[in-house]
Amino acid sequence: MTELTPMPDSAVSSPEIVEHRSTRFEGQTLEVSMGPQHPSTHGVFRMNVELDGETVVKLKPVFGYLHRNHEKIAEGTTYLASMPYTDRLDYFCSLSNNWAYALTVERLAGLEVPERAEYIRVITAELTRLINHTCLIGFLVQDMGATGTPLMYAFREREKMLDLIESLTGARMMCNYMRFGGCRCDLPAGWLEQTRKVVDEFPRFLDEYDALLSTNEILMARTQGVGRLSPELAVNAGISGPMLRASGVNYDLRKVDRYGIYDRFQFRVPLGNHGDVYDRYMIRLLEMRESLKILQQALKDIPEGPIIDPKAKIRGFRPKPGEAYGRIESPKGELGFYVISDGSPKPYRYRVRPPSLINLTVLEDMCLGAKVADVVVILGSVDIVMGEVDR
């Protein structure tokens, strides 16, 4: 080991040495690795941040720690056997994942979905949106350093909806419920009445949540003007979902594609003005109110009837050769599946378009010039799940 020789006192007093010391660190930056094992990164995710003082001058997202080879596994198994794997993409939103994949294969195979099944899909998808947005706000406020109160409020409401999902599908999170041409099973007795009760009581919680947070001076100071995303950059980067609409771009696949039976429901598409963290928070809050409107209409109008297309086959399912892309407005944005069939029981090609990954591509743009403490808040407003990012 090399020993460091103490500097003579005469050298310390030298004007040249003193001047050199005072300017030695000017223009230098500090590199900080945030993650991959860190509660603020919402999973096994890492950010390499370069700082000038406390200001972010460079940021590189690093992911891949949770890669599970989802797409290649799907090419080696049957179409139906891949349905449970979609649950594991965004494990907060397994029913939405099921729907996007089922929609794609239905287009590939030319299957029709009975009307009752379409209503069930809308109801479960909007319940999923409520779960996702409620918890996202709870996590976001906790990322700012708040106590667990908002998050526990969110989890209290989430439990009510997870109970409904469990009684319908048999599982709280990994539901494996959708089937090509419909749903796996019909609604159990009394399920609609229980769901109506939860939906009718939810606005009271939402009003309390809104009053507790939206005008809180600390939340406003930490979010307004922070992490701005311009509409031009959002469109060019392929951003979708609440992040895109928070930047003022009116684009919602429930209105654009009108997939399923969304053309039957009256609801608005909330838009932001500034594209900052506060707008992204507020868009989720407003979207929950619109989801409640959809749920009230769907629960009122749901018909009786079959829940799966009689032409749908479980065994020997072989779509004709061709390709299809299906997409839905998942709680995080456009979730799409691209499938190519060669006529065999297995997909020839299988590809997922995950909104969490696409929305992460502008993380550096939103963080440049922000303080290091804001990086965690900006990331929290993106709303990612690493199972979907890495696949």
Side-chain angles (χ1 to χ4, degrees):
M1 181 180 294
T2 304
E3 294 186 2
L4 298 179
T5 305
M7 186 177 292
D9 293 341
S10 59
V12 173
S13 59
S14 169
E16 293 81 5
I17 297 295
V18 172
E19 182 180 357
H20 172 69
R21 283 181 170 182
S22 65
T23 60
R24 183 170 49 183
F25 295 106
E26 287 186 7
Q28 294 190 11
T29 57
L30 175 68
E31 294 183 1
V32 178
S33 181
M34 300 177 67
Q37 302 290 347
H38 195 278
S40 69
T41 56
H42 298 269
V44 192
F45 173 63
R46 178 172 154 209
M47 294 178 287
N48 289 335
V49 187
E50 188 173 332
L51 303 171
D52 181 2
E54 290 192 12
T55 303
V56 177
V57 296
K58 186 178 180 181
L59 186 147
K60 179 184 178 182
V62 182
F63 31 76
Y65 297 98
L66 206 60
H67 180 54
R68 303 181 309 285
N69 213 22
H70 175 114
E71 291 153 329
K72 185 52 70 175
I73 288 174
E75 294 171 8
T77 188
T78 63
Y79 285 88
L80 184 57
S82 292
M83 186 65 76
Y85 286 105
T86 66
D87 292 336
R88 275 78 177 168
L89 289 170
D90 178 359
Y91 38 80
F92 269 86
C93 307
S94 65
L95 288 165
S96 296
N97 305 342
N98 287 176
W99 191 1
Y101 177 51
L103 182 69
T104 305
V105 178
E106 286 158 3
R107 290 179 177 176
L108 190 64
L111 295 174
E112 298 292 333
V113 181
E115 191 174 22
R116 182 173 176 82
E118 292 281 25
Y119 273 89
I120 294 174
R121 288 181 172 188
V122 168
I123 292 169
T124 54
E126 295 308 319
L127 287 174
T128 299
R129 201 178 311 276
L130 292 179
I131 291 172
N132 183 88
H133 288 357
T134 302
C135 293
L136 178 277
I137 292 174
F139 288 131
L140 179 63
V141 177
Q142 190 174 46
D143 287 343
M144 296 179 199
T147 61
T149 302
L151 184 58
M152 290 301 102
Y153 273 12
F155 274 23
R156 181 190 67 184
E157 299 305 309
R158 178 192 181 214
E159 284 299 309
K160 299 175 184 177
M161 290 177 281
L162 287 182
D163 287 343
L164 293 172
I165 290 173
E166 183 179 16
S167 66
L168 172 61
T169 69
R172 289 163 57 82
M173 296 182 71
M174 308 304 171
C175 301
N176 185 23
Y177 179 65
M178 305 294 179
R179 290 293 181 267
F180 310 135
C183 302
R184 172 161 52 87
C185 58
D186 206 346
L187 304 177
W191 194 86
L192 286 175
E193 289 71 22
Q194 295 172 1
T195 305
R196 289 189 185 100
K197 182 180 179 182
V198 171
V199 170
D200 289 343
E201 292 175 353
F202 198 86
R204 177 181 175 183
F205 155 76
L206 206 53
D207 291 341
E208 291 176 349
Y209 221 37
D210 193 357
L212 177 68
L213 299 174
S214 296
T215 56
N216 181 283
E217 59 182 89
I218 298 176
L219 184 143
M220 294 171 69
R222 292 295 308 277
T223 59
Q224 290 185 345
V226 174
R228 288 181 182 270
L229 176 63
S230 69
E232 294 79 15
L233 177 58
V235 171
N236 290 337
I239 307 303
S240 58
M243 277 190 66
L244 179 65
R245 293 187 286 275
S247 295
V249 181
N250 188 355
Y251 188 80
D252 187 314
L253 291 177
R254 294 172 295 176
K255 293 283 191 181
V256 174
D257 285 1
R258 296 183 178 273
Y259 60 92
I261 52 170
Y262 273 110
D263 57 342
R264 303 186 185 184
F265 305 116
Q266 298 294 322
F267 65 98
R268 296 186 309 111
V269 178
L271 301 176
N273 294 318
H274 309 289
D276 56 11
V277 173
Y278 188 81
D279 273 3
R280 291 193 280 277
Y281 152 79
M282 188 58 70
I283 288 297
R284 269 109 181 182
L285 200 68
L286 296 174
E287 283 192 0
M288 285 193 281
R289 298 192 185 277
E290 299 306 312
S291 290
L292 290 173
K293 294 179 184 178
I294 296 172
L295 281 166
Q296 288 166 351
Q297 296 171 69
L299 290 167
K300 177 184 176 183
D301 299 335
I302 183 171
E304 297 293 333
I307 49 98
I308 195 163
D309 187 344
K311 296 183 296 182
K313 297 180 180 180
I314 296 178
R315 297 181 182 275
F317 183 73
R318 295 169 177 260
K320 294 179 180 180
E323 60 182 350
Y325 177 70
R327 60 182 186 172
I328 69 165
E329 185 67 38
S330 85
K332 293 175 172 60
E334 179 182 333
L335 173 62
F337 286 80
Y338 175 65
V339 179
I340 299 178
S341 170
D342 59 0
S344 72
K346 305 174 184 179
Y348 176 73
R349 285 290 182 267
Y350 175 105
R351 177 70 176 169
V352 183
R353 192 264 186 210
S356 290
L357 173 64
I358 306 300
N359 292 349
L360 264 181
T361 59
V362 292
L363 181 61
E364 181 182 41
D365 299 275
M366 294 189 294
C367 291
L368 290 180
K371 301 301 181 184
V372 65
D374 295 328
V375 170
V376 173
V377 180
I378 295 170
L379 174 64
S381 72
V382 177
D383 189 11
I384 62 170
V385 165
M386 294 311 298
E388 186 179 86
V389 172
D390 291 336
R391 303 179 308 291

